[in-house]
Amino acid sequence: MQKLKCILLLTGCFALPLLSRSQDRIAKDSLANLKIEGIDILGHRLLRSNLVKIDHKTLQDIQAHTLGETVSHISGVQNSYFGPFAGAPVIRSLSGNRVKVMSNGLGINDLSGNSPNFNMGIDMDNVESITMHKGSAAVLYGGRAIGGALNVEGRTIPKKMDSVAFNARIQVEGSTNNGFKQAFQAQGNNKKNWAWHVSGSHMKIDKIRIPGNTKPDFVYDPKVIAFDSFLQGMAQLHVDAGHKLNTTIFPYLSQYVLDQFAQGNTDLSEEDKYTFKETYYDREDQMEKPNPKNDAFIPGQDPEKDRSIAYVNSIADYVKPEKGLIPNSHAQQYTFQAGTSYIRKDFLLGVGYETQFSKYGIPGYWTFHTPQHNHGHAGHTHPVTYLPINMKSISNRLKLASQYQVDQLGLSSIKLDYSGQFGSDRELLDIYQANTFETKRHALRMEIEQQPFHILSGTTGVDFAQADISGKGGLRYMPNSLSRELGLFTMQKLTYRFATLALGYRHDQVKRKAFPDAAYQTGRGMAGGEFRERDFHLNQFSGSMKFNITDIAFLEGHFNHSERAPEVNELYTGNNHFAILIEENGDDRLNKETANGIELNGGLNLKNLKISLGWYNSHYNDYLYLAHTGISRGMNFIVKEWRAADTEIQGFEGDASYILRFGDKKSWEFGGYFDLVKNENRSDDDMRDHYDGAYMPNMPTSRFGLSSKVNYGAIYFYVALDRYLEQRFLGKNLSVEPAMPAYSLLSARISYSGKLMKQKVEYHIAGNNLLNQEARPQNSWLKYVSPLPGANISFGVNVLL
């Protein structure tokens, strides 16, 4: 019955505009801003203040290797940072399976959501723009967008007919601390209906320098590291530590024990000779006699609290790091894209192919064999060889895009897209395979735009996705699995004078299934290796109201009810996940995650000045997180389990910009932002309080940033300063997590456009972390083994043909 109601609601929303076909057409609504020639399709997007678009010029200013680093200059968004070559977006403290990353409107279902060491598989040189939803976009994109979504618009499939029949760009760049990069792009058309695109790139880095030590000094402090098994594992340290008897609290020595030693009695230990008793009973004389005094006795100590003394014999790195270098910081990447489109005034049909090969190192080490520990002074009884953790990924993606501008029967346009992704992601120890995950993924999405009907406009659509993951290797932490997702959605918008009301609804059916095999060793977690098949029914709802005040100010409020099904890693993982240095255990009994969120925004939009402020609050029921168990197994593997508990996320954001124009191609722009987010435990669970604390650990810190852009004819200058504050809302990793020091990141870029042998040429110099500060993001898994890269200056040339 519930499913029938959902279908009737979607059908009703879609059918409503069909009744309007005999009505007079009204002016084109901004909701359906569609133009085939340029394919500027805003469609269902509500132009909300938390919808951010990064244009191509800004992407050039940032020049980052990873998607997470690229978007980290936006308020409320940070980088997960799993080394210089793996970084995913963190939106308002949420990432992974809660932030959906898409390419041209279709999800990129790579493994980065399951493990942060996997790259996102996006060639940043082929990106035209990035559109980001800060906050839930679950109505449009399903439960994986419960915390936000990013859509990366690439150039592989041409979307417009350029006025020039052929143009190309060749880019060469070298740097002091970021390797070398070469890229090319070429596109053209027959000046009628066909357009094409070809591009590729190559990047290579041998090593990356940092301003100081790879690990923070406090991890070598015996008082900090001695008995913190989680910190020992994350910092990749062997610590030989223990407790011994404090002999100075005993005022006497037992004469009886001393006599036993003299007679050769080996049943007693050295510690047995210390006593609090003033006398002992002499059996031969049958009388009490005084015990000798302990010359080492120190009065005033508590016999219970001071009974033992902690000791640390040694603190040793798995592999001794080299000062001034990120360990294992090599990388190499090849990409190639090709696509073609048939374009008419009211129709587009395109096909594209993208392939990427990447190999890069993770700043960590591991071994195929678990070492045996000895807490005596001799250290480890068996020497162990630790090998660097490397990643190798191969991705092939087939893309189809189509759109038809109908303009009849109450319809404006129909858009249909498909993506087939086939990949192989390998985790290596040096050159030796530890595990491999082969993936086959298909995604299909159809959107139908309605013709505006009086004050109503909207979009209705359907999503389908399937992911087949199979693995092999002795260090595999996840079984073979199959996921299917089907979603129906509608987004409707009512506009009357200065007020806009938007309502959206979506229903999803999600299936998760695991396939055990003889080669996979099941874990010891809550799932117990039963691999139950799970089906979830999800309902998403959103509502927003916006008031425009005389075109210079606005107020808006949003409400979202979002639901997310557990992912295959949350349900079925088991065994050591060596890349993140924990034993990860899923639970196939987990329920869906539910969030109810509200958001309030306001802003000014004057002639040259723009200001916006926002506040948000989301309460999660059955928030899924990796919880500590208090158990540690071989080689400091902390055992963590996927659990569900209530959580509240709230924060503030602000943005401002001011621009001065001095004529054609001459301007000076200033910008600034700040953000703050708290991810709080609301579960009233004593176990969670004890092991994980009042806040979730590894959360982004509060920040503020300033930037300036100067255009002066052929000269362009950009500078940005981001200040990351010390974390005040600390969680626990068994013990309270250490707060990383505050730091500042300064970046700049200057470019000059001119001509060389009648060809347009752009020269640029860019710099990152120009203050060369030691920067350790609080939210990074790797903060105990590697900071961000040190200062880098790059020199590049772009030749336009």
Side-chain angles (χ1 to χ4, degrees):
M1 180 61 69
Q2 183 180 8
K3 186 188 300 185
L4 178 61
K5 291 180 179 178
C6 297
I7 295 174
L8 289 175
L9 176 61
L10 288 166
T11 304
C13 292
F14 172 65
L16 182 61
L18 299 182
L19 302 177
S20 68
R21 60 182 182 269
S22 62
Q23 305 293 327
D24 293 334
R25 294 285 302 276
I26 64 173
K28 194 75 170 179
D29 188 276
S30 62
L31 178 69
N33 182 15
L34 180 145
K35 184 181 180 183
I36 286 291
E37 291 86 351
I39 304 297
D40 182 14
I41 307 166
L42 294 177
H44 49 258
R45 300 168 188 166
L46 302 181
L47 304 182
R48 293 163 48 173
S49 61
N50 58 7
L51 183 65
V52 180
K53 184 171 183 177
I54 306 176
D55 59 24
H56 182 66
K57 183 62 178 176
T58 304
L59 292 174
Q60 283 186 318
D61 294 338
I62 299 170
Q63 283 195 313
H65 286 306
T66 68
L67 182 62
E69 184 182 356
T70 299
V71 299
S72 64
H73 299 274
I74 297 172
S75 64
V77 185
Q78 297 195 30
N79 181 20
S80 63
Y81 188 71
F82 208 91
F85 317 107
V90 180
I91 300 179
R92 296 173 176 176
S93 82
L94 301 176
S95 60
N97 293 321
R98 294 188 180 95
V99 174
K100 188 167 185 176
V101 177
M102 299 169 288
S103 175
N104 295 94
L106 294 174
I108 300 176
N109 296 318
D110 55 27
L111 292 173
S112 60
N114 297 341
S115 185
N117 55 300
F118 289 109
N119 201 345
M120 298 295 294
I122 297 174
D123 180 10
M124 298 307 300
D125 287 307
N126 193 46
V127 176
E128 181 66 27
S129 64
I130 298 174
T131 303
M132 178 186 304
H133 295 257
K134 295 194 297 181
S136 176
V139 167
L140 296 175
Y141 305 116
R144 288 184 177 178
I146 195 171
L150 286 88
N151 185 36
V152 178
E153 290 289 343
R155 298 169 171 170
T156 302
I157 298 179
K159 300 294 182 66
K160 63 180 181 180
M161 299 290 292
D162 287 334
S163 58
V164 180
F166 173 82
N167 65 83
R169 177 175 66 90
I170 299 174
Q171 177 184 354
V172 179
E173 183 177 277
S175 64
T176 60
N177 196 30
N178 204 24
F180 297 88
K181 181 174 68 175
Q182 307 87 37
F184 78 92
Q185 289 186 7
Q187 47 271 327
N189 59 75
N190 65 353
K191 294 187 177 182
K192 293 181 180 180
N193 300 111
W194 285 101
W196 57 271
H197 171 92
V198 178
S199 61
S201 66
H202 170 251
M203 178 270 293
K204 185 177 182 180
I205 298 173
D206 293 324
K207 57 186 177 182
I208 293 182
R209 290 183 292 275
I210 53 177
N213 295 316
T214 62
K215 302 178 183 180
D217 293 339
F218 67 78
V219 301
Y220 296 103
D221 185 345
K223 296 179 181 178
V224 175
I225 198 74
F227 303 102
D228 191 332
S229 55
F230 176 84
L231 189 56
Q232 291 173 18
M234 299 306 292
Q236 299 216 303
L237 293 171
H238 290 304
V239 179
D240 184 5
H243 291 84
K244 61 183 179 181
L245 183 68
N246 178 12
T247 60
T248 66
I249 67 171
F250 298 97
Y252 303 102
L253 303 177
S254 172
Q255 187 61 53
Y256 169 77
V257 175
L258 295 175
D259 292 342
Q260 292 295 310
F261 285 165
Q263 296 173 16
N265 187 341
T266 59
D267 293 333
L268 298 173
S269 69
E270 183 70 16
E271 294 179 350
D272 290 330
K273 71 180 183 181
Y274 297 97
T275 181
F276 291 104
K277 294 181 180 180
E278 187 176 356
T279 63
Y280 75 102
Y281 182 72
D282 189 326
R283 293 183 178 180
E284 292 184 3
D285 296 340
Q286 295 185 348
M287 60 181 297
E288 292 285 334
K289 290 185 178 181
N291 279 321
K293 292 183 178 181
N294 177 14
D295 294 336
F297 172 65
I298 300 175
Q301 299 183 79
D302 189 306
E304 295 298 329
K305 294 181 179 179
D306 300 325
R307 192 174 183 86
S308 64
I309 297 175
Y311 69 88
V312 177
N313 287 332
S314 64
I315 301 174
D317 297 282
Y318 292 0
V319 174
K320 186 174 180 59
E322 184 176 350
K323 186 173 182 178
L325 290 177
I326 294 180
N328 196 36
S329 54
H330 66 88
Q332 190 166 12
Q333 178 176 281
Y334 298 90
T335 69
F336 176 78
Q337 302 89 22
T340 184
S341 298
Y342 176 74
I343 303 174
R344 293 191 332 215
K345 183 178 181 180
D346 60 351
F347 179 74
L348 179 144
L349 177 63
V351 59
Y353 170 75
E354 299 175 347
T355 185
Q356 182 180 103
F357 168 83
S358 59
K359 182 178 180 181
Y360 55 94
I362 297 294
Y365 299 87
W366 203 246
T367 177
F368 282 106
H369 307 289
T370 302
Q372 302 296 317
H373 292 279
N374 179 3
H375 288 287
H377 291 276
H380 299 279
T381 57
H382 302 287
V384 175
T385 300
Y386 294 95
L387 302 173
I389 301 173
N390 292 321
M391 309 299 302
K392 182 185 290 186
S393 298
I394 302 173
S395 175
N396 294 283
R397 187 180 302 143
L398 175 65
K399 305 170 72 172
L400 300 174
S402 64
Q403 184 164 331
Y404 177 52
Q405 188 168 340
V406 184
D407 289 333
Q408 59 183 334
L409 300 176
L411 303 181
S412 176
S413 68
I414 299 175
K415 182 181 179 184
L416 181 65
D417 295 316
Y418 165 80
S419 173
Q421 184 177 354
F422 310 92
S424 174
D425 295 280
R426 303 179 184 181
E427 293 178 323
L428 310 172
L429 293 181
D430 195 14
I431 61 174
Y432 306 104
Q433 178 177 299
N435 62 63
T436 299
F437 292 101
E438 305 284 347
T439 59
K440 299 176 183 178
R441 307 178 187 271
H442 303 276
L444 183 70
R445 182 180 178 91
M446 182 177 68
E447 295 181 9
I448 301 174
E449 295 283 346
Q450 304 159 196
Q451 288 182 353
F453 172 52
H454 294 299
I455 62 173
L456 175 68
S457 57
T459 300
T460 300
V462 58
D463 260 332
F464 173 78
Q466 176 175 300
D468 186 350
I469 304 175
S470 60
K472 58 184 177 181
L475 294 179
R476 181 158 54 115
Y477 57 91
M478 195 165 57
N480 301 338
S481 65
L482 176 67
S483 294
R484 287 197 181 101
E485 301 177 7
L486 175 65
L488 302 172
F489 67 91
T490 187
M491 182 72 76
Q492 302 296 314
K493 175 181 169 184
L494 297 167
T495 302
Y496 183 73
R497 295 185 179 178
F498 59 86
T500 300
L501 172 66
L503 297 173
Y505 175 75
R506 180 187 183 102
H507 180 74
D508 288 294
Q509 296 181 1
V510 179
K511 178 185 290 290
R512 307 276 190 243
K513 188 174 182 179
F515 303 93
D517 60 87
Y520 178 73
Q521 300 298 318
T522 58
R524 290 171 279 185
M526 302 291 284
E530 295 188 27
F531 302 124
R532 300 175 183 88
E533 183 176 338
R534 298 296 305 276
D535 290 285
F536 300 91
H537 294 267
L538 311 179
N539 294 294
Q540 325 286 357
F541 174 78
S542 69
S544 65
M545 177 67 77
K546 182 175 181 179
F547 298 94
N548 293 307
I549 305 171
T550 63
D551 295 329
I552 65 170
F554 72 91
L555 292 172
E556 62 182 353
H558 310 281
F559 169 77
N560 290 282
H561 172 86
S562 309
E563 299 177 352
R564 182 179 74 89
E567 294 294 328
V568 290
N569 63 312
E570 296 163 334
L571 294 172
Y572 304 123
T573 49
N575 301 319
N576 295 336
H577 191 164
F578 77 93
I580 58 176
L581 308 177
I582 66 170
E583 180 185 312
E584 181 180 353
N585 291 296
D587 186 348
D588 58 12
R589 303 167 301 174
L590 290 170
N591 295 321
K592 63 184 178 182
E593 185 178 85
T594 302
N596 292 304
I598 58 174
E599 183 173 349
L600 301 175
N601 297 293
L604 292 173
N605 188 3
L606 303 176
K607 183 178 180 181
N608 296 322
L609 176 66
K610 295 182 179 180
I611 299 175
S612 65
L613 295 171
W615 169 84
Y616 56 90
N617 180 285
S618 295
H619 185 85
Y620 281 75
N621 294 319
D622 292 327
Y623 180 90
L624 304 182
Y625 70 105
L626 268 175
H628 289 283
T629 63
I631 301 172
S632 176
R633 287 195 265 262
M635 200 174 165
N636 293 332
F637 258 126
I638 298 298
V639 180
K640 283 194 168 190
E641 295 175 344
W642 284 101
R643 295 178 183 165
D646 292 348
T647 297
E648 184 178 43
I649 299 174
Q650 58 181 319
F652 295 90
E653 295 170 3
D655 295 272
S657 65
Y658 183 77
I659 186 168
L660 295 173
R661 302 187 186 278
F662 307 101
D664 186 35
K665 296 184 179 181
K666 295 180 181 180
S667 63
W668 192 353
E669 182 177 352
F670 305 89
Y673 74 90
F674 75 89
D675 56 31
L676 176 149
V677 62
K678 293 192 293 184
N679 191 313
E680 299 184 68
N681 172 9
R682 298 294 190 188
S683 61
D684 194 25
D685 184 331
D686 292 338
M687 180 179 290
R688 184 178 179 186
D689 291 341
H690 177 71
Y691 288 123
D692 299 290
Y695 301 95
M696 288 296 294
N698 303 318
M699 288 293 104
T701 62
S702 299
R703 306 175 303 167
F704 65 87
L706 301 170
S707 64
S708 180
K709 300 178 182 180
V710 177
N711 277 290
Y712 193 82
I715 299 175
Y716 173 79
F717 177 72
Y718 165 82
V719 62
L721 176 68
D722 298 281
R723 177 66 176 174
Y724 290 74
L725 306 181
E726 185 175 302
Q727 181 64 280
R728 295 186 294 122
F729 312 112
L730 295 169
K732 294 175 68 176
N733 291 307
L734 302 181
S735 57
V736 176
E737 63 173 334
M740 298 294 106
Y743 59 91
S744 299
L745 297 178
L746 177 66
S747 58
R749 188 176 193 270
I750 184 170
S751 64
Y752 173 78
S753 298
K755 285 191 175 183
L756 178 66
M757 300 178 63
K758 297 183 180 181
Q759 301 296 328
K760 293 182 179 179
V761 180
E762 181 191 86
Y763 308 90
H764 71 262
I765 301 175
N768 300 98
N769 194 6
L770 292 173
L771 301 178
N772 203 32
Q773 288 197 357
E774 182 177 299
R776 299 181 186 273
Q778 188 75 32
N779 60 292
S780 171
W781 278 85
L782 298 180
K783 56 181 174 284
Y784 304 116
V785 294
S786 172
L788 297 181
N792 171 65
I793 297 177
S794 59
F795 308 85
V797 178
N798 286 316
V799 180
L800 305 178
L801 303 176

